Amino acid sequence: MGTSSRAFLVSLFLVLLLSPMVFSASNDKLIRVGLKKRKLEMINRDDLRLGFKEGEGVSNSIMKQYLARNIGSSGDAEIVGLKNYLDVQYYGEIGIGTPTQNFTVIFDTGSSNLWVPSAKCYFSVACYFHSKYKSSKSSTYRANGEYAEIPYGTGAIAGFFSQDDVKIADLVVKSQEIIEATREPGITLLVAKFDGILGLGFQEISVGNAVPVWYNMIEQGLIKEPVFSFWLNRDADDKEGGEIVFGGVDTDHFNGEHTYVPVTQKGYWQFDMGDVLIDGDSTGFCTAGCSAIAASGTSLLAGPTTIITQINHAIGASGVVGQECKAVVGQYGKAILDMLIAKERPQQICFLVGLCTCDRNRNVSMGIESVVDRNNGKSSDAFHNAMCTACEMAVVWMQNQLRKNETQQRILDYANQLCERLPSPMGLSAVECSSMSSMPSVSFTIGGKVFDLSPEQYVLKVGDGVAAQCISGFIALDVPPPRGPLWYACPTSKY
């Protein structure tokens, strides 16, 4: 596969979950929710450009494509992934109301509200292709009506709060606040197989300060322990997709001992993380520590651009060429090296060479976006932001190479190579499927323990044979201090 002809410009987030689900309970008192999976169907790149505005009709072509993929075969639903290149995706089923109305949902630790489409959703096409909650059919429904709006990485919903009973496996959570979505704009939610999202984050990030389902499970004494756990099956040939366990951990799905780390900031499931290694060598950015979020609604490993670029270079991934980055290395690289050798404070170097202002405190993604703005004819400030961003990344890369006693020319060549590996600001980077056997391991330090990822674990392979496409599982996402640098990771466990 030629990477130059396989440019993938996609966005991250919202796992698209894939087929009916099985509930089970056992005599160990754990409440299991089975997860099913299907292989992802690659969406045509032309489809990505077929967005539509609220209130406008959907073109006949996209409607025909959707119907053919999702309704054409009797009962065997196809899965169309939009802005996610995954070989498997997961979802589960819940019930709302009395009698129960069933919905498929993402169990998402990166959000805290429960929402499903409302029967009062009239003007969003996505609602017509998913199950809709009919409050008038439920004897346990209680009105609320307060407005709610939730933005996500690949879409947004708006609607109003209601209250009803929610059934998860054999548990019935009484008087749960839910959001009835009356607006689901854009194509992402149109082609998604999930109906809604069940948030498992903390109440601190809950829209409207609604009490999350998970809190009510504990408050109402429905579970054995205040614990939930995921098992996501990575065996593509196994019909069982995985499970989420409420009230404990299923010992059938892990070997060895768990490593526990404390939650450092309530809201997301955030914890401290140490150094990131490539084939055992430090990347030099998180040596003083970074933070990470375990997000079950996140399909990829998202981290600071500075490290993602180094990883993509090491594994041979190709993204967007950073012209500003190469210009900085070419014009200022020698001066940056001289200052590092002279023990100048790294944080001050880009200011001293005139590329950053003294009050510089913006994140890398802003700089990358500003390059696009400049190309679109926007203010010249964008150019300076991009140059400052490139300088700051070059300082980290060069400083790390100096620690290895590399020659100045080798350091400058290395920085130029990293500039060419800068990931696309809107998506992912492609790798050669045939090169996986020679790719390095990528390791994360958590709780003082080093966790190694092999190429088979961090490369997403979609399709088979000559049609296979391989994507780097790493994507750039920059969060500025004090919250960042921050990593987002899907908390999977392998049997």
Side-chain angles (χ1 to χ4, degrees), residues 220-251:
Q220 296 175 23
L222 300 178
I223 55 177
K224 178 181 177 181
E225 297 180 70
V227 174
F228 63 82
S229 57
F230 283 89
W231 169 59
L232 304 182
N233 190 356
R234 300 192 61 192
D235 183 354
D237 297 323
D238 194 334
K239 292 182 180 180
E240 185 180 11
E243 65 184 24
I244 178 172
V245 178
F246 290 100
V249 177
D250 190 342
T251 57

Side-chain angles (χ1 to χ4, degrees), residues 133-213:
Y133 170 65
K134 302 175 179 66
S135 59
S136 61
K137 302 292 185 180
S138 174
S139 62
T140 46
Y141 160 75
R142 297 292 181 271
N144 180 311
E146 182 180 347
Y147 177 77
E149 183 174 358
I150 306 177
Y152 290 100
T154 53
I157 64 100
F160 59 91
F161 280 101
S162 292
Q163 185 174 293
D164 210 332
D165 293 351
V166 174
K167 185 176 182 180
I168 302 175
D170 293 329
L171 303 179
V172 178
V173 180
K174 298 290 187 181
S175 303
Q176 175 63 46
E177 288 180 280
I178 64 174
I179 295 175
E180 294 191 46
T182 57
R183 183 167 62 87
E184 298 183 15
I187 192 174
T188 302
L189 294 173
L190 170 67
V191 298
K193 287 303 293 182
F194 61 85
D195 298 317
I197 292 179
L198 191 154
L200 293 170
F202 290 89
Q203 190 172 2
E204 280 80 354
I205 60 171
S206 176
V207 171
N209 200 38
V211 178
V213 173

Side-chain angles (χ1 to χ4, degrees), residues 373-394:
D373 293 341
R374 181 172 70 89
N375 291 336
N376 289 334
K378 294 188 179 180
S379 87
S380 60
D381 287 344
F383 173 76
H384 298 293
N385 291 342
M387 298 291 276
C388 179
T389 293
C391 178
E392 291 176 334
M393 289 192 291

Side-chain angles (χ1 to χ4, degrees), residues 11-39:
S11 297
L12 179 62
F13 288 93
L14 287 187
V15 174
L16 308 181
L17 298 154
L18 315 168
S19 77
M21 161 195 126
V22 178
F23 297 125
S24 65
S26 67
N27 57 12
D28 59 7
K29 304 301 182 183
L30 299 182
I31 304 301
R32 295 172 170 82
V33 179
L35 302 175
K36 295 292 185 178
K37 67 171 183 282
R38 281 185 179 274
K39 282 194 173 183

Side-chain angles (χ1 to χ4, degrees), residues 250-315:
D250 190 342
T251 57
D252 289 339
H253 294 305
F254 72 91
N255 296 316
E257 299 294 326
H258 283 94
T259 297
Y260 292 92
V261 290
V263 172
T264 56
Q265 184 166 333
K266 291 175 66 176
Y268 301 102
W269 292 92
Q270 183 172 328
F271 55 92
D272 288 335
M273 187 183 79
D275 203 4
V276 180
L277 313 172
I278 301 174
D279 249 358
D281 290 333
S282 171
T283 53
F285 191 78
C286 287
T287 51
C290 286
S291 294
I293 289 171
S296 60
T298 300
S299 308
L300 305 172
L301 285 163
T305 301
T306 304
I307 297 182
I308 298 301
T309 303
Q310 294 181 68
I311 293 173
N312 280 341
H313 170 261
I315 68 177

Side-chain angles (χ1 to χ4, degrees), residues 332-342 398 402 408 411-412:
Y332 299 96
K334 183 65 167 58
I336 292 172
L337 274 174
D338 289 342
M339 291 182 185
L340 286 171
I341 293 171
M398 292 180 184
L402 276 174
Q408 291 196 16
I411 292 173
L412 293 173

